[in-house]
């Protein structure tokens, strides 16, 4: 491996890893095949909303760890992190996502509270990067990798929604298919000077791939929860009839 890596090198590695992670995921395989019941999808995406609604906390944690703003890479990265939060909130992406949930149709059951998988994953980023054991660059690298993964994930989701679930267009997924890719480049490019040396590359890649693994695991855990819940609901309906 060459001694100095570029952002493009890291991006290529993350894209390759992301595609394999999606291919290995039970949820994303079944979603791509269109075999997931709409009730399961509704549960999964509504749980995901609980998690995504704290997006500002991940960016804020990175800023909290940034340190001396006289360093150009810190200054530029913090600006990018803050800008992403501003855009999300100013354009009300939360409302966009709620409109997508409405596209999945009405549920005959009240909205489920945050599940075990959601509560656990909501604390994941803070548990890993809210300690003195990790630094600013590592936290930004992990967040940036998840953002890049999300742009690829969103392409998978959009295709499945259109092919199997009759959702031709959904603004939240359309915007975030490309927005997350921009997030990766905006936040990670200023850190390019930190990629010197094989050891540093390996360390950052470990944080980045671990973050992707945790994210995919969350979707798979939600899928399992949805199957159990909706199986119980069908059983209760059968017993009541």
């Amino acid at each position: 491996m060459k001694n100095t890596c570029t952002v493009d090198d890291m991006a290529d590695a993350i894209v390759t890893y992301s595609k394999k992670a999606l291919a290995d995921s039970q949820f994303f395989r079944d979603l791509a095949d269109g075999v997931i019941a709409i009730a399961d999808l509704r549960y999964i995406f509504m749980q995901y909303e609980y998690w995504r609604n704290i997006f500002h906390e991940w960016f804020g944690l990175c800023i909290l760890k940034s340190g001396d703003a006289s360093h150009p890479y810190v200054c530029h990265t913090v600006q990018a992190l803050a800008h992403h939060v501003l855009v999300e909130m100013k354009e009300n992406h939360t409302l966009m996502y709620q409109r997508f949930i409405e596209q999945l149709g009405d549920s005959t059951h009240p909205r489920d509270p945050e599940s075990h998988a959601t509560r656990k994953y909501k604390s994941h980023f803070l548990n890993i990067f809210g300690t003195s054991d990790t630094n600013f660059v590592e936290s930004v690298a992990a967040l940036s990798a998840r953002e890049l993964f999300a742009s690829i994930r969103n392409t998978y989701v959009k295709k499945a929604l259109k092919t199997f679930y009759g959702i031709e267009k959904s603004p939240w997924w359309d915007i975030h298919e490309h927005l997350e890719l921009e997030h990766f480049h905006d936040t990670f490019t200023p850190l390019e000077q930190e990629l010197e040396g094989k050891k540093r590359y390996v360390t950052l890649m470990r944080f980045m791939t671990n973050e992707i693994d945790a994210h995919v695991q969350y979707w798979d855990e939600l899928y399992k929860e949805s199957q159990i819940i909706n199986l119980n609901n069908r059983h209760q309906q059968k017993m009541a009839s």
Side-chain angles (χ1 to χ4, degrees):
M1 178 183 294
K2 56 188 178 182
N3 289 331
T4 301
C5 298
T6 67
V7 171
D8 287 339
D9 292 330
M10 300 291 275
D12 289 344
I14 291 302
V15 167
T16 299
Y17 192 90
S18 297
K19 289 180 178 178
K20 184 178 185 305
L22 287 166
D24 291 342
S25 162
Q26 186 67 56
F27 169 72
F28 286 105
R29 285 201 307 270
D30 285 357
L31 180 66
D33 290 338
V35 298
I36 302 178
I38 192 67
D40 290 339
L41 271 190
R42 189 182 298 111
Y43 172 86
I44 292 166
F45 285 125
M46 290 177 76
Q47 286 294 322
Y48 176 78
E49 182 182 9
Y50 286 128
W51 174 79
R52 76 154 307 275
N53 282 350
I54 63 164
F55 73 92
H56 54 286
E57 294 185 7
W58 322 321
F59 289 86
L61 178 57
C62 290
I63 293 173
L64 183 64
K65 298 178 75 73
S66 59
D68 190 346
S70 67
H71 298 298
Y73 78 89
V74 171
C75 181
H76 294 154
T77 304
V78 168
Q79 288 182 65
L81 291 166
H83 178 69
H84 299 157
V85 175
L86 177 63
V87 169
E88 283 263 357
M89 292 189 168
K90 186 176 181 179
E91 296 180 355
N92 203 347
H93 291 197
T94 298
L95 180 61
M96 286 186 196
Y97 192 84
Q98 291 169 353
R99 294 289 182 263
F100 159 66
I101 294 296
E102 293 173 2
Q103 289 180 285
L104 294 174
D106 296 327
S107 173
T108 57
H109 301 281
R111 179 169 187 149
D112 293 285
E114 290 184 7
S115 70
H116 171 73
T118 296
R119 291 193 302 272
K120 182 178 70 171
Y121 191 51
K122 282 180 72 173
S123 64
H124 162 77
F125 198 77
L126 177 62
N127 289 342
I128 300 297
F129 298 103
T131 70
S132 59
D133 296 331
T134 55
N135 60 39
F136 173 59
V137 174
E138 291 162 350
S139 63
V140 172
L143 179 59
S144 299
R146 173 153 43 85
E147 293 289 292
L148 181 53
F149 169 84
S151 70
I152 301 168
R153 176 206 67 196
N154 291 357
T155 300
Y156 273 62
V157 173
K158 280 183 58 180
K159 182 178 180 181
L161 291 175
K162 180 178 180 179
T163 303
F164 301 110
Y165 300 98
I167 299 178
E168 293 285 333
K169 187 175 181 62
S170 186
W172 190 89
W173 293 101
D174 292 339
I175 289 175
H176 286 260
E177 184 178 14
H178 305 290
L179 189 62
E180 269 80 352
L181 180 60
E182 294 175 9
H183 286 182
F184 173 82
H185 285 290
D186 289 348
T187 56
F188 203 69
T189 298
L191 304 179
E192 190 159 16
Q193 68 187 63
E194 296 294 315
L195 302 181
E196 296 182 0
K198 180 178 179 180
K199 183 176 180 181
R200 189 59 171 157
Y201 173 90
V202 171
T203 299
L204 291 180
M205 279 299 298
R206 185 176 70 249
F207 281 108
M208 296 168 90
T209 55
N210 285 350
E211 192 63 22
I212 292 171
D213 290 343
H215 188 71
V216 173
Q217 180 181 343
Y218 173 54
W219 287 97
D220 283 338
E221 288 180 356
L222 288 181
Y223 189 24
K224 292 177 182 176
E225 286 182 345
S226 71
Q227 292 174 313
I228 294 172
I229 289 173
N230 286 308
L231 180 63
N232 289 339
N233 287 339
R234 288 193 294 270
H235 178 71
Q236 291 174 4
Q237 291 173 353
K238 184 177 180 180
M239 293 294 292
S241 61

